[in-house]
Amino acid sequence: DAGDDASSVFDSPWGKGRPGWHIECSAMSSEYLGGDFDIHGGGADLMFPHHENEIAQSRCAAPGSSFAKYWVHNGFLTVGGEKMSKSLGNFITVRDALHKGIKGEVIRYALLSAKYNEPLDWNEKLVADAKKALDGWYRRIGELGNWGTEEKDIRQFSSSSVLQFLAILADDLNLPKAVSLMHSAAPEDLAAMGRFLGFFTMTSEDWFKGKNIVVNVNESMAIQERIDARAAAKKARNFTEADRIRKELADSGIILEDRPDGTTDWRRT
């Protein structure tokens, strides 16, 4: 309510009244959603007294109504262990993170690392761990070859891991547990689960080589030339030169990955 300020008190047929924000929410809910609706959200700090008052007055106004069937209260977000606020200069938006070069899927993974009703601390390690986990996922689904052209609805899968995944989500959106399961899933199941959560929006090659980053033909050829020169140096047992080329590419943001079959691929850091 508006507190005990005497200037806010007014007379009513039922006694002293005060303007309140609880009644506003009840009025808006009944106007646009009706007396009964499915989900009501809000921050954890609104459970009491705001939401309890909403329930009390709304159900009294509409006898027999359950008001909202499900309540979801989100935990608080901190940055580096401190409450996010503009005054502290640690206020971060999704747009800010994207402009810093953090991929959207990395942001999504980081936010899913805690359950929706638990606190989450945004920090550099959280982002780095999310990127590392997604790198591993993209390598695994890259083994599927044409996985990107044969998208299937998750409901078409009957494997035990997919069914377990859906059951976990149905249990109060336990996303951290669902994501944990994905790390041990078969590549086909992983691809289906990931798409269901909004991941794998690009091919494995685009993920590692930088989708939305302009890589012209000349640059790509130059990188391949350095890879070929390194391979020649290794064949000549000139490992000092091979290491120099690897470091040169790494300094420019290109990481080389040697494969068991003797070939070398590259990706951006």
Side-chain angles (χ1 to χ4, degrees):
D1 58 52
D4 294 324
D5 182 1
S7 64
S8 67
V9 178
F10 58 88
D11 292 323
S12 79
W14 307 278
K16 297 295 183 181
R18 294 178 175 83
W21 53 304
H22 315 303
I23 197 67
E24 295 169 5
C25 292
S26 291
M28 289 187 290
S29 296
S30 61
E31 174 68 19
Y32 296 106
L33 303 176
D36 288 278
F37 54 93
D38 291 328
I39 300 174
H40 193 309
D45 57 328
L46 299 181
M47 287 186 185
F48 177 83
H50 183 47
H51 287 164
E52 290 198 2
N53 283 352
E54 264 195 84
I55 295 170
Q57 64 196 15
S58 298
R59 296 189 66 180
C60 287
S65 165
S66 61
F67 192 46
K69 295 179 182 177
Y70 301 99
W71 290 81
V72 288
H73 295 95
N74 61 278
F76 296 120
L77 178 66
T78 57
V79 177
E82 294 184 310
K83 181 180 178 182
M84 180 187 289
S85 69
K86 291 183 178 180
S87 62
L88 293 175
N90 65 350
F91 191 85
I92 298 173
T93 67
V94 171
R95 184 177 288 106
D96 293 334
L98 291 172
H99 285 169
K100 290 180 179 179
I102 302 174
K103 294 181 179 178
E105 291 189 29
V106 173
I107 298 172
R108 181 182 294 267
Y109 187 104
L111 294 177
L112 297 186
S113 63
K115 198 175 175 186
Y116 75 89
N117 56 1
E118 297 176 349
L120 173 68
D121 185 59
W122 182 271
N123 54 67
E124 291 185 4
K125 184 178 185 302
L126 177 73
V127 175
D129 288 347
K131 174 64 165 59
K132 182 178 179 180
L134 281 164
D135 284 349
W137 282 359
Y138 266 101
R139 286 192 185 93
R140 289 172 58 202
I141 63 171
E143 300 170 4
L144 299 177
N146 63 348
W147 68 272
T149 60
E150 294 187 356
E151 184 172 348
K152 292 195 295 183
D153 191 293
I154 195 170
R155 290 169 293 186
Q156 295 178 260
F157 288 77
S158 58
S159 64
S160 59
S161 60
V162 170
L163 295 177
Q164 184 182 359
F165 170 81
L166 294 174
I168 290 171
L169 292 181
D171 183 16
D172 197 24
L173 288 176
N174 195 338
L175 282 160
K177 187 175 181 180
V179 168
S180 177
L181 176 67
M182 293 169 66
H183 288 290
S184 59
E188 295 85 352
D189 293 341
L190 172 62
M193 295 173 185
R195 281 199 174 103
F196 189 73
L197 296 181
F199 296 112
F200 307 142
T201 58
M202 60 186 77
T203 66
S204 184
E205 182 176 9
D206 285 338
W207 174 263
F208 288 113
K209 295 189 177 180
K211 185 177 182 181
N212 298 328
I213 297 176
V214 177
V215 182
N216 59 43
V217 174
N218 290 335
E219 181 184 5
S220 183
M221 290 178 61
I223 293 172
Q224 189 58 52
E225 286 176 0
R226 303 309 295 148
I227 291 174
D228 293 342
R230 174 174 173 266
K234 289 174 66 177
K235 187 174 182 180
R237 303 189 68 78
N238 187 350
F239 299 113
T240 299
E241 174 64 7
D243 290 342
R244 188 194 67 78
I245 294 173
R246 174 188 280 275
K247 185 178 185 304
E248 176 187 85
L249 288 171
D251 290 342
S252 63
I254 303 299
I255 301 299
L256 301 184
E257 295 183 337
D258 294 323
R259 293 175 172 172
D261 63 1
T263 60
T264 299
D265 199 2
W266 63 272
R267 63 180 175 87
R268 292 188 179 276
T269 54

